[in-house]
Amino acid sequence: VARIAAMLHGDLATFHSLYVHPMVRGQGLGTEMTAAALEAAFEPTSRPVALVPTLAAEPLYRRLGFVPIGEVVVLGVDLPLS
């Protein structure tokens, strides 16, 4: 129904592949899963978290406090990413 991948790279955590099935979107699953991944990423020490959101997921991440700091350049992907 929903998933998120979190990886640790030394002092950096990255989140990938947040997905919530369309039939259950809008019920807070994406927010819950991201919050749980953030909690896991910050224990036992605080570390930055990086991600490249889809256009659909960007508002969720902004609500959770993520801010853009630059651009990502992509090769071999049909645009727009959503």
Side-chain angles (χ1 to χ4, degrees):
V1 174
R3 70 166 188 261
I4 189 169
M7 299 173 64
L8 298 178
H9 310 274
D11 291 335
L12 175 69
T14 57
F15 290 178
H16 307 271
S17 307
L18 172 64
Y19 174 80
V20 178
H21 191 278
M23 292 180 62
V24 294
R25 287 183 187 157
Q27 297 178 23
L29 286 174
T31 300
E32 270 186 53
M33 291 177 53
T34 305
L38 280 168
E39 188 175 314
F42 283 110
E43 290 185 13
T45 61
S46 184
R47 64 175 51 90
V49 178
L51 54 82
V52 180
T54 62
L55 295 175
E58 190 171 337
L60 175 138
Y61 292 121
R62 286 180 181 258
R63 282 194 308 273
L64 291 171
F66 285 83
V67 293
I69 60 168
E71 285 185 34
V72 174
V73 179
V74 183
L75 172 67
V77 176
D78 292 329
L79 296 177
L81 298 175
S82 59

